[in-house]
Amino acid sequence: MNIKNNKIILKKRPIGFPKLDDFEKASETITNLNYGEIIIKVIWLSLDPYMRGRMSEAKSYTTPIKIGDVITGGAVGKVVSSKCPNFKEGDIVEGFTLGWQEYAKVNSKMVRKIDPSLAPIQTAVGVLGMPGMTAYFGLFEICKPVPGDNLVVSAASGAVGQLVGQLAKIAGCNVTGIAGSDEKCQYLKETLNFDNVINYQKDNVFKKIKEYCPEGVNVYFDNVGGKIADDVISNIAPFGRIGVCGVISQYNLTEMETGMRVQRAVLTNQASVEGFLVFRFEQKYSIARKRMANWLNQKKLIWKEDIVLGLEKAPESFIGLMKGKNFGKLLIKLDS
Ligand code: NAP
Ligand code: FER
């Protein structure tokens, strides 16, 4: 069997913000399967900030994408051919290494089967997938909110942030969301019922945090790092908890920034700072998925997606993600 596969490969390593000519279209022919392998027709691509790190040379929790290789990342698709007894044609699967291509040939161990009757299948890379698990475990296991806490979350309208704020409301917190436009802030306040919002593009974050959290910030769920984090952490409350989830403001820097020194605020307030990678909680994903799915069904959680059509739009959409152009979880829907 021969399948023509169109894909997007890494042409060169981005310097600073990625550019369109860092990526290139390519095609190949996918041929026979070995035992244990399946071919998946990709339907949804998940574009996530961590992918920027994989485009760089520096080794992190996974090896970098090689020049000329397909951009790998989370995706959902349909099995079109299988040499694995556990998978049959038509099964819907999610995998973390499928990537920016029309078809992916992988060992079936690399994917998990999705029940399409439970929720729209793309939620497997969203609210019921990696970003959802990040919000759930980052909040409940790292930040440990208690009712009445003042909680601040940055990148608050994004995939992780929108969920952190809503879960914190469920946990009885007073929630302040920080985002990059009035439209995003209005959505957080009016649709998601956040208590306060800050548009960091025009508001003074330090002053607004002082105004909204006069007794200090009990929990800061940090998605961005940089100056925003400095402004929030310098308002930390006694015994505050800072969960370092992401530092997107730093991902495209060519030189490290220097900034305010927040260690004294951490020290004098006996605050704790903990970074985490969501994969740490993998053994517990299924419990979290059930809880999140229940909250979705009960409309206690609302989930916003930003859907772009066509594989060829992946590079420009990814560049947009780094610059705040997405509003909600960024997904690419492939032409069927
Ligand atoms: P997202 O929030 O949907 O999209 C990224 C958002 O970051 C943009 O829309 C933009 O929104 C904001 N942003 C970009 N540059 C910024 C800057 N310089 N300063 C402030 N905000 C900026 O992405 P996501 O998937 O939910 O990820 C959010 C964060 O969580 C990222 O840092 C990511 O790396 C991290 N993460 C960590 C883990 C983990 O295991 N630790 C797992 C998943 C995600 P604005 O318009 O508001 O600027
Ligand atoms: C992310 C940002 C960073 C993420 C993982 C990392 C899964 C890990 C980075 C590293 O190991 O260097 O959004 O999501």
Side-chain angles (χ1 to χ4, degrees):
M1 183 228 326
N2 287 338
I3 295 179
K4 186 181 176 221
N5 181 34
N6 293 311
K7 57 184 181 175
I8 294 172
I9 59 170
L10 186 65
K11 187 171 149 203
K12 47 187 164 66
R13 302 208 178 277
I15 299 169
F17 280 92
K19 290 172 221 52
L20 283 179
D21 69 358
D22 295 330
F23 305 95
E24 192 170 49
K25 286 186 196 162
S27 59
E28 65 185 356
T29 303
I30 297 182
T31 52
N32 288 339
L33 291 176
N34 292 319
Y35 185 79
E37 288 181 333
I38 55 177
I39 298 177
I40 298 151
K41 186 178 193 317
V42 177
I43 305 173
W44 293 94
L45 296 182
S46 174
L47 301 195
D48 297 278
Y50 78 87
M51 299 167 99
R52 176 63 187 85
R54 298 214 54 219
M55 292 170 195
S56 299
E57 204 136 34
K59 196 171 178 302
S60 69
Y61 70 107
T62 49
T63 47
I65 300 170
K66 291 199 201 81
I67 301 294
D69 275 2
V70 67
I71 310 289
T72 49
V76 178
K78 187 192 278 194
V79 176
V80 291
S81 186
S82 172
K83 273 209 179 164
C84 171
N86 300 330
F87 289 85
K88 60 179 188 321
E89 280 178 35
D91 282 349
I92 301 291
V93 297
E94 178 256 336
F96 202 62
T97 58
L98 301 183
W100 296 7
Q101 54 187 340
E102 291 172 346
Y103 293 90
K105 177 166 105 169
V106 294
N107 190 295
S108 64
K109 288 187 190 135
M110 301 305 286
V111 302
R112 73 182 169 100
K113 221 181 276 189
I114 303 298
D115 180 352
S117 69
L118 286 184
I121 58 173
Q122 72 274 21
T123 58
V125 287
V127 54
L128 302 180
M130 191 277 284
M133 299 301 99
T134 303
Y136 182 98
F137 290 106
L139 181 67
F140 293 126
E141 303 236 356
I142 305 289
C143 295
K144 300 188 173 75
V146 291
D149 270 353
N150 285 319
L151 175 140
V152 177
V153 56
S154 47
S157 70
V160 175
Q162 60 173 309
L163 295 172
V164 170
Q166 293 181 79
L167 293 174
K169 289 296 296 174
I170 293 173
C173 298
N174 178 64
V175 172
T176 298
I178 305 177
S181 74
D182 285 341
E183 191 197 5
K184 290 178 177 180
C185 286
Q186 188 183 3
Y187 175 78
L188 295 174
K189 182 120 198 197
E190 290 174 9
T191 306
L192 301 190
N193 296 317
F194 282 28
D195 299 282
N196 310 293
V197 285
I198 299 173
N199 176 351
Y200 73 90
Q201 296 284 5
K202 60 181 208 196
D203 294 334
N204 179 318
V205 176
F206 180 87
K207 282 192 188 152
K208 284 283 177 190
I209 295 284
K210 252 204 167 5
E211 179 187 332
Y212 295 142
C213 312
E215 280 147 28
V217 173
N218 304 101
V219 172
Y220 175 43
F221 193 108
D222 190 8
N223 280 322
V224 304
K227 169 129 186 11
I228 293 173
D230 289 346
D231 285 344
V232 179
I233 296 171
S234 44
N235 281 298
I236 199 74
F239 302 101
R241 281 89 64 209
I242 299 153
V244 181
C245 173
V247 290
I248 194 168
S249 72
Q250 314 291 294
Y251 295 167
N252 298 292
L253 295 180
T254 48
E255 273 174 46
M256 293 314 283
E257 280 179 347
T258 48
M260 195 188 267
R261 306 285 189 255
V262 293
Q263 290 84 349
R264 187 163 188 210
V266 171
L267 163 70
T268 53
N269 289 292
Q270 303 185 67
S272 53
V273 182
E274 186 172 358
F276 68 96
L277 291 172
V278 63
F279 314 112
R280 192 204 298 188
F281 303 102
E282 212 159 352
Q283 300 304 319
K284 297 197 258 187
Y285 281 2
S286 63
I287 305 165
R289 264 197 204 104
K290 280 192 194 122
R291 296 193 78 193
M292 299 284 272
N294 282 339
W295 281 320
L296 276 179
N297 289 333
Q298 297 162 3
K299 308 266 184 291
K300 288 187 178 159
L301 271 184
I302 296 174
W303 173 240
K304 187 173 179 60
E305 296 172 336
D306 185 339
I307 298 171
V308 179
L309 297 180
L311 175 65
E312 67 287 356
K313 292 283 169 53
E316 70 183 71
S317 303
F318 182 74
I319 296 166
L321 178 73
M322 297 288 111
K323 297 182 174 173
K325 298 240 167 76
N326 64 305
F327 185 1
K329 166 66 197 153
L330 183 58
L331 295 161
I332 302 284
K333 182 157 189 333
L334 268 64
D335 310 318
S336 43

